[in-house]
Amino acid sequence: MDPTLIRCERRGAGRPMIMLHGLGDRRQCWRSVSADLLREYEVVCVDLPGFGSSPAPEPDEPYDVHSLTTAVQEFCALHGFERPHVVGNSLGGAIALELGVRGVAGSVTVFSPIGFSDALARLGMRAAGGAARLVGHVPLRVKERLADTAAARALARAVLRGNPASPQAKETRFAVRGLEPGSPFIRMVPRVAAYSFEARPIACPVTIAWGDRDRTLLPSSAIAAHLRVPHARMVSLIGCGHIPMVDDPVSVAEQIRWTCRAADRPVFS
């Protein structure tokens, strides 16, 4: 993957902070959170390869958590981001932790990272991936109509939002434009299902936060995360689902700021 092709949005000033989105998402998901951090940090919201404005790797190129980690590492080197703070959600959370293992990150703050689910949950992910591949063959106009039905919208709110009944959740829908045969989403789902974070030292402050209403990656996964990253600060985000940046951007920004400030203490310098 060519790091020069990774698109990003850079704002603010100070020590760089790299923000990594989840599977099927894009850099704009961090805007409500990053707005609260711009006075202290240079916030760099990244479109991971294959999502947003960043092109996907070629079909014969590696495309999994480890290759994405390498791409982000090379992106940081290209732009001169030395030991930046790294923040990630879901897939982006796993990449952030892997960057911590590699010594690239100055601090790591993650929200519902993949890689800590049990065997049953991973089986469910593989089944969801199979369903997504089948849906990929449905014409786009049909998929869009289905996604806009009351039942599909209710399911999207239940899966993606902490409080499905809140007014802010009203417009939540499943994105269907990425569900085409061979699309980055379809290619990545089985890799996400197969990925498991291996316990290894991370020599920087780490915060692992989980929404207590996460119905995509269950909060019980935080137990495995604590066992594999024992020095991590564990946080439960009350009322938040799998994408807490949408449910409670203020609390998300507070957790990020706490980890970053811990990294600035002499013990981690």
Side-chain angles (χ1 to χ4, degrees):
M1 281 178 267
D2 186 348
T4 65
L5 300 179
I6 294 179
R7 301 292 178 254
C8 67
E9 182 177 309
R10 298 174 63 171
R11 296 187 295 162
R15 186 172 177 177
M17 175 186 295
I18 311 300
M19 303 188 113
L20 306 172
H21 60 76
L23 179 64
D25 213 333
R26 54 183 184 165
R27 66 179 185 263
Q28 286 83 354
C29 70
W30 293 105
R31 279 188 175 170
S32 295
V33 175
S34 63
D36 194 31
L37 299 166
L38 298 177
R39 291 187 298 274
E40 301 168 77
Y41 307 100
E42 180 185 9
V43 180
V44 185
C45 298
V46 172
D47 277 337
L48 292 171
F51 302 99
S53 300
S54 296
E58 296 299 323
D60 59 343
E61 289 187 88
Y63 194 39
D64 54 24
V65 173
H66 298 292
S67 65
L68 287 174
T69 302
T70 298
V72 176
Q73 181 175 356
E74 292 174 349
F75 168 85
C76 290
L78 176 69
H79 292 280
F81 300 139
E82 185 176 351
R83 288 185 60 80
H85 300 298
V86 185
V87 179
N89 171 232
S90 195
L91 170 61
I95 296 168
L97 288 167
E98 294 288 352
L99 289 169
V101 169
R102 296 185 187 190
V104 175
S107 76
V108 173
T109 310
V110 296
F111 302 90
S112 298
I114 66 166
F116 300 100
S117 298
D118 60 22
L120 182 61
R122 290 200 298 273
L123 180 62
M125 290 181 208
R126 286 193 289 271
R133 286 193 296 274
L134 290 175
V135 171
H137 295 283
V138 176
L140 178 59
R141 63 182 181 279
V142 176
K143 285 186 288 197
E144 289 180 332
R145 283 200 297 268
L146 290 173
D148 203 38
T149 61
R153 289 163 61 185
L155 180 60
R157 290 194 297 271
V159 170
L160 299 175
R161 299 304 300 269
N163 180 7
S166 69
Q168 295 81 5
K170 183 179 179 181
E171 300 303 319
T172 303
R173 288 172 175 79
F174 286 122
V176 296
R177 288 189 174 271
L179 298 179
E180 289 88 28
S183 69
F185 184 91
I186 297 297
R187 291 170 62 188
M188 186 58 67
V189 167
R191 306 294 189 271
V192 167
Y195 171 78
S196 181
F197 181 83
E198 299 178 9
R200 289 154 294 161
I202 301 177
C204 68
V206 178
T207 293
I208 300 176
W210 229 285
D212 70 335
R213 296 184 182 180
D214 190 335
R215 302 174 189 91
T216 302
L217 297 179
L218 297 180
S220 57
S221 299
I223 298 171
H226 181 55
L227 291 173
R228 294 182 216 170
V229 194
H231 84 283
R233 170 177 170 261
M234 305 299 297
V235 175
S236 179
L237 297 173
I238 306 303
C240 289
H242 188 60
I243 310 175
M245 307 88 75
V246 177
D247 289 322
D248 192 349
V250 173
S251 291
V252 168
E254 287 175 355
Q255 304 311 323
I256 296 169
R257 187 178 285 110
W258 191 98
T259 320
C260 293
R261 289 177 176 172
D264 292 333
R265 294 170 189 163
V267 67
F268 283 106
S269 61

